Amino acid sequence: MSKPTTTGSAPTAFTPREMMAIAAGRFIADGDIVFAGTGVALLAAGCAKRVQAPGAVIFFETGGIDPTLDEIPLAVADSRVMDGACINAGIIEAFSYVSNPRLHTIAFLGAAQIDRYGNLNSTCIGDYHHPTVRFSGSGGACDAGSLAAGFIVFMEHSPRKFVEKLDYLTTPGWLEGGESRRAAGFARGGPIAVVTDLCVLRFDETTKEMYLAERYPGVSDDDVVANTGFALDVSRAVEALPPTAEELRILRDEVDPQRLILG
Amino acid sequence: MSEPEQIGGKLMSLERAVRTFVKRGDQVALGGFTISRNPMALVYEIARQSIGDLHLVAHSNGQALDVLVGAGCVRRIEIAYGGNGRFAPTCVRFRKAVERGAVVVEDYSNYQMALRFLAGALNVPFMPTKSGLHTDLVRLDGFSPELRRVAALPAKKLVVLPDPFDGEEGDVVLLPALKPDVALMHAQQVGDDGTVRIKGLTFADIEQAKAAKAVVVTCEQVVPAADLRRDPDQNALPPFLIDAVVPLPFAAHPTACHLFYDYDPQHLNEYRAAARDDGAYESWLREWVYSVADHDEYLAKVGDERLQRIKADPVRGYAVGLDRR
């Protein structure tokens, strides 16, 4: 399935990656504590902080809390996560913030596979004991998915990644849907949205099944369905607001001027 | 640098520290995190001494893990993450070794591994968490029961139990303590009494050192103990936990050492390219590990110009404006 590489015309033409960063950033509210990974997550957090959530705090599982992000970290252990930080914690302390019930901690996560309930695989393809492809593993993803007040997932949209059944369940989403997450022993949390290069997906209040919420300008329902490996409800879909000129300026000139992540 | 009198017999060469404290089959905890403060000089020396059958334990490790696996020193791994951030989202030799069945892996999460080191540090059998309930981290073992018995590992990967205090809290995951044979770490400074100062993020280095049966530290500088004792809340570990101190500037290269130097993007990129091909990787190991006599020769090979380029800004802690493509 072909996908658009850029949409619109100058000066508000944008790439899918730019749209992803801006769409995901819009989920962040002032006062949120944002558990950021690297990559697009950092762009999203950087945009949110400069657009609608100046009081949001970005922090890293390694323990760097509220750094300037004058330069983009290329790993969560990069010294740039400490630049001007209010505190340098250790890993255990960092997760004490993720799980603190006083804090509205939102995590940004990526994965190799996702299922209809927003459960994630970042461990392997094939049998766990004899994988055909091995990935990095959980890192802090399972912890953030278990303990944070909610999480937002970045995915490249393809049928190989949106699958009926995960090869390995690394990070708990809505598990089997309905009330199953709470029944498993999680007091809170769960996936809020999935942001892809085509659209934004959300989860039904009751069934916790994924549905198409917003398709990006230039993307059709069929494009999304063809790139999703399970049946998807598109009846509630609307077109996403395209990035504004100001959002694009902030992203390009302030958040990632070297285009280390934007490419 | 002051005369390090009080470290006494703990002050030693890289060669001797590895020969004395790292044995074939040992369980080894790797300090640092992805591309930061990995004990690289120790890792290269382990490879040079061909110490094999190692059982690695770490949360998120990158370059140190990958070189040890690539050099064939590793038999088993308990880990949360094997990656180098943008320089290798999954470490290449790690990935290949798992796919080929050359190493056996048991997966945990970062927090879970850190809690396991904490349990070891506190000398309690386990720590509880709510993280991982209902996932394959809990459902699937990496190690067989037979391996657990032979390798004297805990009989179970972990245990899920209802909260024994208040049933309404639901299940908890109990994670067995780790007590590695040796913890390898790199610090910025060690006092001439053996006090260790880590600047910047400590990751789980402190818990790893407290859990381990022996601790080997490479450091950028040995400084007078009085300097470190003027500000003790900046110090990470007391002298009596430290077994070997190896003063070795740039011993974390090509990973970063906060306030001293950044990661080396060119080296990490060249490494990743070589790691993709078995032949090219053998050549890389020969060039950068086996045919290099010691750390001085390694640094000469990296070259002053490169080391200057990655030198950290003393306030920011990293090399401002470094070309990181």
Side-chain angles (χ1 to χ4, degrees), chain B:
Chain B
M1 196 181 287
S2 67
E3 199 57 38
E5 289 170 2
Q6 295 172 69
I7 307 183
K10 294 179 184 178
L11 193 74
M12 59 185 77
S13 70
L14 184 63
E15 191 275 334
R16 192 177 138 217
V18 168
R19 188 161 35 81
T20 310
F21 291 101
V22 186
K23 305 288 185 208
R24 170 171 291 272
D26 270 359
Q27 188 179 110
V28 177
L30 291 174
F33 197 110
T34 59
I35 50 172
S36 195
R37 254 183 344 88
N38 283 211
M40 294 309 300
L42 288 164
V43 161
Y44 296 140
E45 184 59 25
I46 289 170
R48 275 193 289 272
Q49 293 187 23
S50 301
I51 301 173
D53 285 340
L54 297 179
H55 178 134
L56 299 185
V57 289
H59 36 84
S60 287
N61 201 273
Q63 194 67 4
L65 161 84
D66 209 51
V67 173
L68 282 176
V69 169
C73 299
V74 180
R75 168 179 268 189
R76 292 185 294 271
I77 307 174
E78 294 177 63
I79 199 172
Y81 187 90
N84 266 346
R86 214 209 44 191
F87 295 100
T90 304
C91 282
V92 180
R93 299 313 297 186
F94 163 73
R95 176 173 63 73
K96 283 181 188 287
V98 179
E99 291 169 4
R100 290 169 180 171
V103 294
V104 188
V105 182
E106 186 146 278
D107 278 272
Y108 292 88
S109 68
N110 274 345
Y111 185 42
Q112 289 173 341
M113 285 304 285
L115 289 174
R116 297 185 65 201
F117 289 119
L118 178 63
L122 298 176
N123 199 22
V124 294
F126 56 84
M127 288 292 287
T129 178
K130 299 290 276 186
S131 179
L133 289 166
H134 231 70
T135 67
D136 285 333
L137 291 175
V138 163
R139 287 192 202 115
L140 295 178
D141 290 4
F143 299 160
S144 66
E146 170 67 5
L147 173 58
R148 284 178 205 286
R149 198 179 52 75
V150 173
L153 299 169
K156 292 174 180 169
K157 179 183 180 185
L158 41 72
V159 172
V160 177
L161 277 185
D163 171 8
F165 289 93
D166 180 353
E168 289 183 16
E169 290 289 314
D171 287 346
V172 290
V173 181
L174 309 185
L175 300 156
L178 281 167
K179 293 185 177 181
D181 294 304
V182 60
L184 307 179
M185 55 192 282
H186 182 70
Q188 282 84 353
Q189 295 178 322
V190 176
D192 56 16
D193 63 346
T195 299
V196 175
R197 175 170 292 185
I198 297 174
K199 294 301 294 176
L201 300 169
T202 52
F203 311 119
D205 285 20
I206 296 172
E207 290 85 358
Q208 288 176 350
K210 289 176 179 170
K213 299 183 181 96
V215 180
V216 178
V217 185
T218 57
C219 62
E220 295 297 319
Q221 299 176 330
V222 172
V223 299
D227 289 0
L228 299 189
R229 284 169 185 251
R230 255 195 295 280
D231 198 3
D233 37 302
Q234 290 298 303
N235 300 336
L237 291 163
F240 49 76
L241 284 181
I242 309 304
D243 296 276
V245 176
V246 185
L248 219 50
F250 287 101
H253 179 274
T255 71
C257 183
H258 187 61
L259 294 171
F260 282 76
Y261 45 91
D262 218 322
Y263 42 83
D264 184 337
Q266 196 177 328
H267 193 98
L268 290 168
N269 285 329
E270 287 166 6
Y271 177 88
R272 182 188 58 233
R276 287 188 178 133
D277 177 80
D278 289 355
Y281 191 70
E282 268 311 307
S283 304
W284 187 94
L285 282 177
R286 218 169 21 249
E287 182 185 349
W288 285 97
V289 183
Y290 302 136
S291 68
V292 176
D294 55 24
H295 188 64
D296 287 345
E297 200 177 313
Y298 174 86
L299 291 185
K301 216 174 137 40
V302 175
D304 273 347
E305 194 248 316
R306 182 89 67 83
L307 296 177
Q308 281 304 316
R309 212 188 304 156
I310 61 172
K311 207 168 163 47
D313 177 283
V315 176
R316 295 260 177 165
Y318 54 87
V320 176
L322 176 68
D323 183 352
R324 296 182 289 145
R325 286 169 294 178

Side-chain angles (χ1 to χ4, degrees), chain A residues 18 21-31 42-56 58 241-255:
Chain A
E18 288 171 336
I22 289 165
R26 290 171 180 164
F27 281 97
I28 301 305
D30 218 17
L42 268 182
L43 302 183
C47 285
K49 231 176 130 58
R50 289 169 174 84
V51 179
Q52 83 280 7
I58 299 171
L241 287 176
T244 64
E246 179 64 0
E247 283 172 325
L248 285 171
R249 187 195 64 74
I250 287 169
L251 177 61
R252 292 167 183 169
D253 297 352
E254 294 182 20
V255 179

Side-chain angles (χ1 to χ4, degrees), chain A residues 165-194:
Chain A
K165 186 167 175 13
L166 302 178
D167 288 26
Y168 186 99
L169 199 169
T170 314
T171 299
W174 295 115
L175 297 176
E176 291 93 43
E179 293 298 314
S180 59
R181 182 181 167 95
R182 195 159 290 254
F186 295 115
R188 66 173 189 174
I192 298 164
V194 184

Side-chain angles (χ1 to χ4, degrees), chain A residues 67-241:
Chain A
T68 64
L69 298 178
D70 286 349
E71 287 195 17
I72 294 258
L74 296 184
V76 295
D78 194 318
S79 278
R80 290 156 186 82
V81 309
M82 304 179 229
D83 189 13
C86 67
I87 200 165
N88 280 338
I91 292 174
I92 291 173
E93 293 156 88
F95 282 105
S96 76
Y97 300 117
V98 178
S99 57
N100 188 322
R102 291 180 59 192
L103 305 176
H104 194 250
T105 313
I106 301 294
F108 282 124
L109 305 174
Q113 290 181 327
I114 187 167
D115 70 14
R116 72 179 73 236
Y117 297 114
N119 302 300
L120 308 178
N121 171 15
S122 53
T123 303
C124 64
I125 300 293
D127 176 64
Y128 176 59
H129 297 97
H130 307 282
T132 52
V133 184
R134 171 70 205 201
F135 300 115
S136 56
S138 161
C142 170
D143 308 311
S146 297
L147 306 173
F151 65 90
I152 293 161
V153 188
F154 287 106
M155 295 291 297
E156 183 200 323
H157 214 134
S158 89
R160 283 185 309 114
K161 298 191 168 219
F162 284 72
V163 297
E164 195 68 52
K165 186 167 175 13
L166 302 178
D167 288 26
Y168 186 99
L169 199 169
T170 314
T171 299
W174 295 115
L175 297 176
E176 291 93 43
E179 293 298 314
S180 59
R181 182 181 167 95
R182 195 159 290 254
F186 295 115
R188 66 173 189 174
I192 298 164
V194 184
V195 177
T196 81
D197 48 341
L198 295 178
C199 63
V200 174
L201 305 135
R202 304 199 64 158
F203 297 87
D204 184 84
E205 291 262 330
T206 311
T207 66
K208 306 299 186 193
E209 268 192 71
M210 197 186 291
Y211 68 89
L212 178 61
E214 300 175 27
R215 46 186 140 60
Y216 300 157
V219 174
S220 70
D221 291 350
D222 287 348
D223 292 337
V224 176
V225 167
N227 280 290
T228 306
F230 48 82
L232 190 69
D233 173 16
V234 298
S235 66
R236 287 172 264 186
V238 298
E239 183 161 302
L241 287 176

